[in-house]
Structure formats: structure tokens, C-alpha cells
Amino acid sequence: MATKEIVQIICNACWNKSGAVVEAVEQLTLGSLEWDLCEEHRDRFGGLLSQALDINEPIAVSA
């Protein structure tokens, strides 16, 4: 019989705050640190980071 493993990646912030299982939509990496974030925490952290770096608009980077 074949088995199938299903992996759900959850938001580290939601889990650490309240134990809530909320699906992560973004992975954030800064140096050797890495977080999986839900949409709410992704947006909140993006706003805080933009404020800290004094950047009002995201900078587009083309490959």
C-alpha cells in the first residue's frame, strides 16, 4: 500500500504567539535566520522593515 505524506508549512509568528495553525504564504530569510509567515505577519513585518530602513516604496530588482 502506498502512503502519501502531506506537509503543511505554518506561520512561525502565529504558532509562537498562540499556538494557532495558520498556513504560511511567505518565507523570510535574513542571513542565517529564516521564518515562515502568514499573509498578515508578512505584511506587518514588511511595514516595520520599510519604516526601519526609511523606505516608503519597495525597490524592484530585475534579474
Side-chain angles (χ1 to χ4, degrees), residues 30-63:
L30 292 172
S32 63
L33 302 173
E34 197 172 272
W35 300 270
D36 295 308
L37 301 173
C38 66
E39 193 171 338
E40 177 188 348
H41 283 108
R42 175 199 63 196
D43 294 345
R44 187 184 305 176
F45 184 80
L48 291 171
L49 186 57
S50 293
Q51 230 177 7
L53 298 175
D54 199 23
I55 298 172
N56 294 327
E57 296 182 26
I59 300 170
V61 177
S62 60

Side-chain angles (χ1 to χ4, degrees), residues 9 11-12 23-28 35-39 42:
I9 299 175
C11 176
N12 296 125
E23 185 176 2
V25 297
E26 189 82 32
Q27 186 175 59
L28 173 66
W35 300 270
D36 295 308
L37 301 173
C38 66
E39 193 171 338
R42 175 199 63 196

